[in-house]
Amino acid sequence: MSDAPTLLVMKFGGTNMGDARAIRHSAYLAGRSLKEGVKVVVVVSAMSGVTNQLLNIAEAAEKGDIAHANDQIAALRTRHFTAAQDLGAAPDAETVREIRELLETLRQAVYGVYLLRELTPRSRDLIVAFGERLSAPLMALALETSTLRAHHLTGGQAGIVTDSHFGSARPLGTAAGRIRDRLSGLLGAGLTPVVAGFMGETEKGAITTLGRGGTDYSATIIGAALHADEVWAWKDVDGVMSADPRSVRGAQNIAQLSYGEVMELAYFGAKVLHPLAVTPLQDAGIPLRVKSAADPEFAGTLVTTQAAGDGAHPVKAVTAIKGVSIINVSGAGILGVPDVVADLFAALARENITLLMVSQSSSMSNVSLVILGSDEERTLAALTPPMGGRQLQVDVQRGVAVLAIVGAGMRGTKGVSARLFSALAGDDINILMISQGSSELNISVAIEGEDVERATRTVHSAFGLDAPVSEIAGQAGIQ
Ligand code: ADP
Ligand code: ASP
Ligand code: MG
């Protein structure tokens, strides 16, 4: 940033909202900028684990296990009341009253699912969005106790109006104007808006969610709408790393990435950011910083249009998605009939199925598709009707993983795939499918699921991405 910022959007993830201590620290991080005169919009995730718990509650109610659902709601009540109390709220405080009301509404929604024994995508979204609705008042409280004036809002109240693709909703073109309308007044009055992430609202007022990890996306949608100087995503990791630090001990921070590189990484399983998180920022060129809440002075990762690298590392990161399936479509019907292939892709597009990899044999007698395991049922249903008037044979291979290497430096660099393949072969790992996008930002391979952890470590080290041993010892707290 050349000039001092005037407006920042700060996103705090689940771990950073995990309990009163973490929330207080997050409020301190926002407060540091506020006290320097910067305006800040805060966007929060649910407390860690709460979204999964809500999904579990919804599914229990659908199955008729209302006792389990109610026990879980009681556990949520205890956790949120404890956090409010630890943040200094009196038993009759506004925050406590609000949490009580939200949990009562949640209980009623869950009871409705139980009575109907039906959990629609729409009711699931209503239920899971309670996590963020419950954490936003806690963050506002933490800011207020450190003498900062705050006002919390749901995603819809903040102007995030979306389409009605429940579970993976997208903002409408009108969202940006509405966000400006809803938040500018608060900012102008010196209040810090605290927005419940992950959620939006349709034009008719139904609550939607933006897909798992969606709070990153809420923050960038708001950042772009308000023309913020930067969006900062505070995390429990040192920025975007060369691999998931949970599987690769030597994973290192990546100082700078382009929007395109981040998208590839997120698309191929790096959970650190929502796959669409950078899309709202691209046109306006608003930078995204991924920062470590534990080490706020550390620069973290800067994401801009530039893909600056050090030249020595054409590959910046290795990532993987587990639990995917290969769908093999074959049969004489495909041979030389382009219509069949066109119909096949159209059928998948209609069902909104994410295609991770596609390969077609040159004889055109076979097409292989890699999809998420969770999309398998819908994919098979979509491929059942005759394509181009012909019946096809469809086989499934489950328990597969996709491993991808990502880096703009691969473009025009020879020998990258050779290095990838020989590293995998050297470790006795069988490659089931290969794909390289024409953008040359990534090369991905499908491998057996059981090999994925080992393959990730092998490839990470083959591309020279491991941190020096002394640094690894330091990260682990070993002196
Ligand atoms: P938040 O709630 O802050 O969004 P997430 O749990 O969604 O946090 O994302 C952070 C997690 O992403 C980290 O704890 C880490 O295990 C995982 N992760 C996966 N791949 C990467 C990567 N390449 N760099 C950093 N973190 C990664
Ligand atoms: N709480 C939501 C999730 O767990 C959204 C987020 O954390 O970004 O997916
Ligand atoms: Mg996340």
Side-chain angles (χ1 to χ4, degrees):
M1 221 170 346
S2 45
D3 299 314
T6 56
L7 176 64
L8 294 174
V9 176
M10 291 194 184
K11 177 256 167 168
F12 294 95
T15 312
N16 308 116
M17 296 296 294
D19 58 17
R21 191 156 161 257
I23 298 173
R24 205 178 288 119
H25 181 64
S26 299
Y28 156 78
L29 293 171
R32 287 191 340 160
S33 294
L34 286 162
K35 285 172 185 163
E36 283 167 7
V38 180
K39 290 188 187 303
V40 178
V41 177
V42 173
V43 186
V44 294
S45 288
M47 296 177 89
S48 48
V50 166
T51 306
N52 286 341
Q53 214 173 342
L54 287 163
L55 280 170
N56 186 278
I57 290 171
E59 279 152 24
E62 185 193 22
K63 288 193 199 109
D65 192 353
I66 195 67
H68 176 70
N70 282 336
D71 285 352
Q72 292 293 306
I73 296 175
L76 286 178
R77 178 177 298 116
T78 308
R79 185 160 174 205
H80 288 84
F81 279 173
T82 305
Q85 196 179 354
D86 292 351
L87 288 168
D92 60 348
E94 171 73 12
T95 312
V96 175
R97 196 179 52 74
E98 254 181 281
I99 291 174
R100 185 175 294 120
E101 275 171 19
L102 281 168
L103 286 163
E104 176 51 23
T105 317
L106 168 66
R107 197 191 59 76
Q108 289 171 8
V110 169
Y111 198 68
V113 169
Y114 164 71
L115 289 178
L116 291 164
R117 295 289 199 281
E118 185 190 42
L119 182 62
T120 60
R122 187 186 183 111
S123 47
R124 186 186 283 110
D125 269 7
L126 172 71
I127 290 171
V128 292
F130 273 97
E132 276 67 14
R133 290 169 75 184
L134 284 161
S135 66
L138 293 172
M139 175 60 105
L141 173 65
L143 287 166
E144 277 158 8
T145 42
S146 50
T147 71
L148 297 158
R149 292 170 60 227
H151 181 78
H152 63 87
L153 307 98
T154 65
Q157 287 167 341
I160 302 185
V161 57
T162 72
D163 60 25
S164 49
H165 276 108
F166 295 98
S168 56
R170 301 288 165 256
L172 298 181
T174 47
R178 198 173 298 191
I179 291 166
R180 281 193 291 276
D181 285 349
R182 302 284 173 90
L183 300 186
S184 305
L186 292 172
L187 289 165
L191 283 155
T192 296
V194 176
V195 181
F198 181 45
M199 64 179 302
E201 217 171 272
T202 63
E203 288 283 10
K204 289 185 179 160
I207 286 176
T208 54
T209 66
L210 307 171
R212 293 307 302 267
T215 305
D216 299 317
Y217 194 22
S218 307
T220 56
I221 293 168
I222 293 173
L226 297 177
H227 311 294
D229 295 290
E230 293 190 354
V231 176
W232 292 8
W234 292 97
K235 299 262 168 185
D236 62 350
V237 275
D238 288 341
V240 182
M241 315 280 285
S242 53
D244 185 343
R246 284 185 216 188
S247 9
V248 181
R249 200 159 164 242
Q252 304 193 70
N253 161 266
I254 307 171
Q256 196 167 341
L257 284 166
S258 67
Y259 298 119
E261 287 174 319
V262 165
M263 251 191 283
E264 297 283 347
L265 264 172
Y267 189 75
F268 285 102
K271 193 189 157 212
V272 64
L273 286 169
H274 184 286
L276 296 178
V278 295
T279 53
L281 304 180
Q282 273 180 307
D283 285 345
I286 298 173
L288 169 68
R289 266 177 218 277
V290 183
K291 286 184 66 81
S292 162
D295 188 3
E297 302 314 326
F298 181 62
T301 299
L302 176 64
V303 186
T304 61
T305 38
Q306 308 286 328
D310 60 9
H313 295 101
V315 171
K316 288 187 185 163
V318 186
T319 182
I321 315 187
K322 294 167 209 165
V324 306
S325 302
I326 300 182
I327 309 279
N328 219 318
V329 186
S330 57
I334 288 199
L335 203 64
V337 189
D339 284 6
V340 178
V341 180
D343 277 9
L344 190 147
F345 285 117
L348 298 175
R350 265 195 305 278
E351 279 296 318
N352 224 347
I353 287 161
T354 306
L355 279 177
L356 296 167
M357 291 169 74
V358 178
S359 115
Q360 181 175 14
S361 64
S362 48
S363 68
M364 284 181 58
S365 62
N366 150 313
V367 179
S368 299
L369 313 164
V370 180
I371 52 143
L372 298 171
S374 52
D375 283 343
E376 186 186 312
E377 215 175 294
R378 285 189 307 127
T379 307
L380 295 180
L383 297 180
T384 305
M387 301 282 148
R390 291 153 204 251
Q391 206 65 46
L392 303 173
Q393 183 176 333
V394 180
D395 301 296
V396 185
Q397 183 174 357
R398 303 195 175 89
V400 175
V402 171
L403 177 146
I405 52 174
V406 176
M410 291 197 286
R411 200 174 286 148
T413 306
K414 294 189 187 72
V416 176
S417 3
R419 203 148 137 200
L420 172 67
F421 302 149
S422 72
L424 291 171
D427 213 9
D428 207 19
I429 290 161
N430 190 26
I431 300 178
L432 307 169
M433 244 171 100
I434 299 168
S435 128
Q436 172 172 5
S438 57
S439 68
E440 285 191 61
L441 280 179
N442 93 75
I443 301 175
S444 46
V445 291
I447 56 177
E448 297 288 354
E450 64 198 28
D451 292 336
V452 71
E453 298 284 336
R454 189 161 50 97
T456 307
R457 284 192 288 272
T458 298
V459 172
H460 192 263
S461 102
F463 283 97
L465 298 175
D466 282 331
V469 175
S470 58
E471 259 180 59
I472 300 174
Q475 282 167 18
I478 303 162
Q479 299 306 312

